[in-house]
Amino acid sequence: MKTISAATHLELGASLGEAVLSLSDAALDREINRIAGALFDDATVSYQRHGAALEICAPAKQEGLRYPVSPETFYLLSAKNGIYSETDLIELNRLSMLTARLFEVRQASAKTQALQLREQLLQTQVLDQIHESVITMDLAGFILSWNRGAEKLFGYRSDEAVGKNILFLYEEEGQQGDDEFLQHGGREMEVRRRKKSGEVFWASLSLSLLAQHDQAVGMVAYLSDITHRKESEQKINHLAYFDALTNLPNRNLFKQLVDQSLQTALRKQSNCAILFIDLNRFKPVNDMLGHQVGDALLIQVAQRFRASLRDQDMVTRLGSDEFAIALPEMNQHYHASLVAQKILSCLEQIFHIDGHELRIGASIGIAVYPDDGMDAEGLLQRADIAMYKAKRSALDASGSYAFYNPSMNAHIAGKLFIEAGLRKALERQEFFLVYQPKLDVQSQTMTSVEALLRWHHPERGLISPVEFITIAEETGLILAVDAWVLERACQQAAQWQAEGVPPFRIAVNLSAKEFTVGLPARVSAVLLKYQIAPQWLELEITESMLMHSTESVIAIMDDIVALGVSLALDDFGTGYSSLSYLKRFPITSLKIDRSFVQGIPGDSNDCAIASAIIKMAHQLKLKVVAEGVETPAQLAFLKAAGCDEVQGYLFARPLPPTQVAGLLGMVF
């Protein structure tokens, strides 16, 4: 036996342990034999397997002592001189026991690894059965496992993802969002992630810690695609805060944004302004051409408004044909008037919709922070009040604007008083009709009358139509009022005929709201009810009602004329009807608006306009009626120009029905 130091024993023992735990088969046999050969000098030791040929053979017939290591292996000790030293026996016994123990450790380790592998396979199979994406990672965010759900969700195979840092799935590379994986604790959040295809999607993410012996060793993430839900939420949120037609902020969002701007204005001690906009002539377009055309018009109006403003300015559709604009950080009051002028200017260009050429204007009210209000609601209310002032004082249909002042509150109070009174006026029979004669210019005798509505309020007395007709149209009460006027005029005609008065034509005014497909049937029913011949009824419609010649409008007019009722075009020259369309209207007469008669004969422009209307009408075989005739000079000019009929204070004011019959046959 060689003399071997303790250190060498330890080294050889470590080598033996490494060989048994890491090698197998022939390589293991060779390494054990090498180590055993280094321990013995007086004897030969070989590591052998039962039934296998000897690699290190003893002399002669392989005789020697066997020391078992495992059921399959043993050490064979062969003495050189046939004598076994006690030291060799002891050393070989120790070697065989050490090797046997190492094989036991190896076997136990193999079982553990098999169990771990089996457990890992089972875990992988379970995770793969989960449709949800499940990802495990260490605390640094490096991916340890990647199930099939993750493969389907992200498009990466397991071998493409495992080992990478989770950041490669973020929407932006290197993103450090509020959903960092590196934070501890079970967390649920909604995040944006990127697929292999590059598509970015919304995911619901739940993070939990993986712990071992109360020590965090990693994290597990559960992800599912919630893109559809997020899109639905966004749509619902959009509907809650944006106008579905124009895609502008709605009233609620607008007020929130304005209130935020006012807080900034308070800190900076700057001004803000609110513009309340009501479109002029929109309702006739919507009523006569339909909501599809009206909606398309509103969309184009919104686009023009947005294009006319600064990026920081805000515009909203409040509803129907009403809009509002907020001007934050406004330095001077006159800046608001400049914007109002830009808004009116952007509406001047013709709108082309479905083959129609449309013109509209606007009335704009302006309220300024902090003078007129301290919040969005207050400013909107006062701008609305100023808008009504602008509408009433507008010089033309294109519109105007007005700044709010406290005196306007009295007007609004009066408007509300009239609106409340109108709702009761029909029930209380406070309305009545008066009749203004129309005279033949040549004979100066009465040919017909125009029925005019009057209102006797129990508290205020007579209220001018100028005050209540517009309010009736705004509130929709005009439909009931128009129906009452038509009924009462026909009833009066029947009463005159019953009294033996020779029949004469009665003209009744119609509002745009009344001019619908059901109008011919309503007119026919009233005529039948009072047994009035249709040739004694004339309906007057304003030019602005017929600003666009459409087949539907003309069809309604044709149905009325087919009844035998005549149509007159009132206030001619103040609207926007194309003269090329005038020949298509089945009307019998034109009424020259009083605004063109007042300046006759001193105003050369009024004279030229009146003469041109008369000549054009006669060429179209239409009768011409001039209203507002108050002086003999006006009558003389109109007579010389060929005007057919006149009406005005020169001959008679509107009269009660008891005084009308006596005018028949009378020369004025």
Side-chain angles (χ1 to χ4, degrees):
M1 178 74 188
K2 297 177 182 178
T3 303
I4 300 175
S5 66
T8 303
H9 268 98
L10 290 175
E11 182 179 347
L12 291 173
S15 298
L16 181 62
E18 183 178 353
V20 172
L21 296 178
S22 61
L23 300 177
S24 61
D25 300 331
L28 176 61
D29 294 348
R30 285 195 296 272
E31 182 64 15
I32 293 177
N33 277 311
R34 184 191 68 78
I35 294 171
L39 290 171
F40 294 91
D41 185 27
D42 298 334
T44 300
V45 177
S46 63
Y47 175 72
Q48 300 187 26
R49 298 179 182 276
H50 293 292
L54 295 177
E55 293 188 7
I56 300 177
C57 300
K61 301 180 180 180
Q62 303 179 7
E63 296 179 353
L65 299 177
R66 293 191 178 194
Y67 283 75
V69 175
S70 70
E72 296 84 15
T73 60
F74 61 91
Y75 282 112
L76 179 64
L77 177 65
S78 300
K80 288 183 178 181
N81 300 316
I83 300 172
Y84 300 98
S85 69
E86 184 177 355
T87 303
D88 288 339
L89 295 175
I90 294 172
E91 191 64 36
L92 184 57
N93 185 58
R94 291 173 58 185
L95 177 61
S96 61
M97 291 179 62
L98 175 60
T99 306
R101 285 197 299 271
L102 287 172
F103 270 101
E104 290 176 358
V105 172
R106 172 179 173 146
Q107 186 176 11
S109 176
K111 289 181 179 180
T112 301
Q113 289 179 1
L115 289 173
Q116 289 178 343
L117 178 61
R118 182 181 178 186
E119 183 179 349
Q120 183 177 0
L121 288 173
L122 288 173
Q123 183 181 14
T124 301
Q125 291 176 3
V126 170
L127 291 179
D128 284 342
Q129 296 303 313
I130 299 176
H131 296 295
E132 194 175 35
S133 171
V134 182
I135 304 170
T136 60
M137 68 208 81
D138 62 19
L139 293 177
F142 288 93
I143 297 172
L144 303 175
S145 70
W146 181 269
N147 76 337
R148 289 181 183 173
E151 290 183 352
K152 292 179 180 179
L153 180 61
F154 289 96
Y156 290 101
R157 299 190 311 274
S158 177
D159 61 315
E160 293 178 307
V162 172
K164 289 186 176 181
N165 195 282
I166 199 70
L167 294 177
F168 89 103
L169 299 175
Y170 279 33
E171 178 183 3
E172 295 180 5
E173 188 175 354
Q175 171 189 354
Q176 296 294 325
D178 58 356
D179 56 318
E180 293 179 11
F181 280 84
L182 308 183
Q183 296 186 6
H184 296 288
R187 302 178 57 207
E188 293 184 3
M189 63 205 77
E190 295 177 351
V191 297
R192 289 176 66 80
R193 293 290 179 259
R194 186 182 299 278
K195 298 184 180 182
K196 184 177 181 179
S197 63
E199 175 189 351
V200 176
F201 68 99
W202 279 102
S204 173
L205 168 65
S206 176
L207 274 179
S208 299
L209 282 174
L210 292 175
Q212 191 175 37
H213 306 301
D214 296 329
Q215 181 68 34
V217 295
M219 287 177 284
V220 58
Y222 302 89
L223 296 101
S224 57
D225 192 338
I226 59 169
T227 302
H228 292 305
R229 176 169 67 81
K230 290 294 291 184
E231 289 175 349
S232 298
E233 290 176 356
Q234 289 171 355
K235 289 179 181 178
I236 293 172
N237 182 70
H238 191 83
L239 290 174
Y241 290 103
F242 289 85
D243 176 53
L245 179 64
T246 63
N247 206 34
L248 294 175
N250 62 14
R251 180 188 287 263
N252 290 333
L253 179 57
F254 179 77
K255 288 165 59 176
Q256 293 178 24
L257 296 174
V258 170
D259 283 332
Q260 293 173 7
S261 296
L262 295 182
Q263 293 298 320
T264 303
L266 178 63
R267 292 193 301 270
K268 294 184 177 181
Q269 295 185 338
S270 60
N271 294 326
C272 295
I274 296 291
L275 279 63
F276 193 106
I277 305 168
D278 182 82
L279 300 181
N280 298 341
R281 302 191 302 276
F282 173 78
K283 287 181 174 60
V285 173
N286 208 41
D287 293 341
M288 292 187 292
L289 303 183
H291 293 295
Q292 184 174 355
V293 173
D295 288 349
L297 178 59
L298 290 173
I299 292 172
Q300 290 193 21
V301 167
Q303 292 170 347
R304 291 192 187 184
F305 285 171
R306 186 65 268 174
S308 301
L309 301 172
R310 303 172 299 175
D311 291 340
Q312 64 265 40
D313 297 334
M314 295 169 277
V315 59
T316 178
R317 179 180 174 226
L318 299 173
S320 185
D321 61 344
E322 293 180 339
F323 294 80
I325 293 173
L327 307 176
E329 299 184 24
M330 186 185 68
N331 296 327
Q332 300 293 334
H333 282 40
Y334 73 84
H335 289 167
S337 63
L338 293 177
V339 174
Q341 292 172 32
K342 286 181 65 177
I343 293 300
L344 294 176
S345 178
C346 81
L347 296 176
E348 290 180 355
Q349 187 177 356
I350 294 175
F351 291 86
H352 297 275
I353 299 175
D354 291 348
H356 304 288
E357 294 184 354
L358 309 179
R359 289 183 181 272
I360 60 171
S363 298
I364 304 175
I366 305 172
V368 179
Y369 168 88
D371 300 342
D372 302 327
M374 299 299 293
D375 58 20
E377 185 63 34
L379 291 170
L380 275 172
Q381 290 177 357
R382 288 161 179 80
D384 189 7
I385 293 173
M387 183 275 295
Y388 278 103
K389 172 65 175 176
K391 185 177 288 288
R392 292 173 66 88
S393 61
L395 297 177
D396 53 54
S398 63
S400 64
Y401 64 91
F403 282 87
Y404 170 81
N405 66 66
S407 65
M408 294 178 180
N409 289 332
H411 163 68
I412 295 301
K415 177 177 178 291
L416 296 175
F417 175 83
I418 290 175
E419 180 180 341
L422 277 173
R423 298 184 183 278
K424 301 176 183 177
L426 287 172
E427 299 174 7
R428 298 176 178 177
Q429 298 183 350
E430 296 170 3
F431 290 126
F432 64 95
L433 294 181
V434 292
Y435 301 87
Q436 186 171 33
K438 297 180 184 178
L439 282 73
D440 179 84
V441 172
Q442 299 302 322
S443 66
Q444 292 190 207
T445 58
M446 189 180 82
T447 57
S448 62
V449 295
E450 179 181 0
L452 300 171
L453 180 64
R454 296 293 184 264
W455 179 16
H456 188 277
H457 192 277
E459 298 176 13
R460 289 185 51 183
L462 284 175
I463 298 179
S464 168
V466 175
E467 290 188 64
F468 69 82
I469 290 297
T470 301
I471 298 174
E473 290 176 342
E474 292 171 357
T475 58
L477 294 171
I478 194 65
L479 293 175
V481 172
D482 275 358
W484 183 89
V485 171
L486 179 61
E487 175 107 4
R488 185 68 189 89
C490 290
Q491 183 184 32
Q492 182 60 59
Q495 183 177 340
W496 279 327
Q497 292 184 26
E499 295 172 355
V501 177
F504 53 88
R505 194 169 61 254
I506 300 177
V508 175
N509 292 281
L510 286 181
S511 69
K513 286 184 176 294
E514 183 71 12
F515 203 80
T516 61
V517 291
L519 177 60
R522 291 194 294 272
V523 172
S524 178
V526 173
L527 291 173
L528 182 63
K529 178 179 179 180
Y530 293 104
Q531 295 297 300
I532 303 298
Q535 64 265 30
W536 304 120
L537 177 64
E538 182 177 64
L539 300 180
E540 292 190 0
I541 52 182
T542 60
E543 184 185 1
S544 59
M545 289 168 56
L546 305 176
M547 66 180 75
H548 311 290
S549 176
T550 65
E551 297 305 321
S552 60
V553 172
I554 293 176
I556 295 172
M557 298 174 72
D558 286 339
D559 289 343
I560 293 174
V561 173
L563 296 174
V565 176
S566 59
L567 292 172
L569 194 55
D570 195 10
D571 300 334
F572 186 79
T574 61
Y576 289 86
S577 293
S578 172
L579 295 180
S580 64
Y581 289 157
L582 190 58
K583 62 182 180 181
R584 299 185 61 195
F585 297 149
I587 58 177
T588 56
S589 61
L590 294 180
K591 295 187 71 175
I592 303 176
D593 187 70
R594 67 178 65 248
S595 62
F596 300 122
V597 175
Q598 289 175 347
I600 295 174
D603 190 318
S604 60
N605 290 330
D606 284 347
C607 292
I609 292 173
S611 298
I613 292 174
I614 294 170
K615 290 179 182 178
M616 179 200 65
H618 285 167
Q619 289 176 353
L620 295 173
K621 296 181 173 51
L622 300 176
K623 183 173 59 178
V624 181
V625 182
E627 58 183 1
V629 179
E630 298 179 354
T631 67
Q634 291 171 343
L635 176 62
F637 176 87
L638 293 168
K639 184 176 181 179
C643 186
D644 300 294
E645 292 184 355
V646 292
Q647 68 181 110
Y649 288 178
L650 176 61
F651 312 102
R653 290 177 176 272
L655 302 171
T658 54
Q659 298 180 23
V660 173
L663 300 179
L664 285 173
M666 175 181 172
V667 178
F668 287 82

